Amino acid sequence: MTDAQETAADSTLRTTGGAPPDDGGSSDAEAPIPLLEPRDGIPPVIADEETLAEAIAAFAAGSGPVAVDAERASGYRYGQRAYLVQLRREGAGTALIDPIACPDLSGLGEVLSDVEWVLHAATQDLPCLREIDMVPSRLFDTELAGRLAGFPRVGLGAMVENVLGYVLEKGHSAVDWSTRPLPEPWLRYAALDVELLVDLRDALEKELDRQGKLDWARQEFDAIASAPPAEPRKDPWRRTSGMHKVRRRRQMAVVRELWEARDRIAQRRDVSPGKVLSDAAIVEAALALPAGAQALAALNGFGHRMGRRQLEQWQAAVDRAKALPETALPAHGQPVTGPPPPKAWADKDPAAAARLSAARAGVSALAEQLNMPQENLITPDTVRRLCWEPPATADADSISASLAGYGARAWQVELVTPVLVGALSAVGRSA
């Protein structure tokens, strides 16, 4: 039994910072303290090269990890660019940087290149930080740390409250961060997001170490830091909300044409695509296949507020799809590179379905024992792939090699291999 398994036998997860545990702890615990102001006040937004140079020098001279966060304008602007970057480091204080006014942050990225970055839900912020030349070589993800440690709620506010005993205001998370000038309450919120991030990191490191999971977390953090940028999604139009209603290939072509036309307009205007035309309107037009702009105007989403010129541009996209030859219509589905959906396994390969059922049960039991989500113990896709095409011999060496080939980290391979060997071997004996 590992240290973490022994720790998990204790049903109460200990929080490090004195806050009540999030699982119905003792009622006489002290109430969390509202965190209303940054300890050094709200810093002015850095929006010119001279002030940026001063901040770079200050952060280069600072010590310890650096807390990093970024605010985007999802739902308002096209893409996922950063509109505010927040940093805090011992000896440097807090900095709020406008990456629109200062688009080249490579100098800041360079002086922090060998410093550990502390982020919450790192994979959400790393893409927009990479766009402005800020890429960490080492990081600590407080959200992922919370998952591995077994916290039931891992949002930043919940983690700060349960681990450190402070309440963060979260009222401005979904505002339009492209607004200029940014209102003071928003800047206060942004500064507070990095105020306690290093403190949270230190507390979680102690908790992970206590549970015997610190090395596991470090492997996960290294994997995030070293991961290449994600490949562009193929056929992103297929993710249009309501797409499941669209069955015919000609209708799918309408979705594709409208989606791509909308995307071009949204990119040109720098607005969220949903503000140009809703997904529901796209699907409505695809199902109806309107004969002209007048028929299009009668559909939901193409109402009286839409001008004649706009209606004609959307109808032109519909007409392009209607004019395509059969050979140019999109296929019903993208080429499948992995196993089929699990619901089809019982018919396609009953033995594989049995393997998957046994493997899922084993992984679920181990995850519960370790007090962490199953998907953090091993990705469901990895388990599916292994069960669909298992190695010729279901022994520890071959299964370990398969897991590593699918990208599992060493700690995952070590823990999950015995479970999968047992599951696959048991199904093999009973087949």
Side-chain angles (χ1 to χ4, degrees), residues 299-361:
L299 302 177
N300 290 333
F302 299 90
H304 62 279
R305 295 192 211 173
M306 191 170 287
R308 180 75 184 178
R309 185 176 176 182
Q310 288 177 297
L311 285 169
E312 288 175 350
Q313 76 179 356
W314 299 127
Q315 184 61 41
V318 173
D319 291 342
R320 286 195 298 271
K322 291 168 70 174
L324 289 172
E326 289 287 330
T327 54
L329 296 179
H332 276 293
Q334 294 173 297
V336 178
T337 56
K343 62 183 180 181
W345 286 28
D347 293 329
K348 291 179 177 291
D349 189 338
R355 288 192 294 268
L356 182 62
S357 178
R360 281 174 164 174

Side-chain angles (χ1 to χ4, degrees), residues 14 16 201-211:
R14 183 178 67 189
T16 314
R201 172 240 180 268
D202 292 344
L204 288 171
E205 182 179 61
K206 292 177 182 177
E207 181 62 31
L208 287 167
D209 188 41
R210 185 184 74 83
Q211 294 188 24

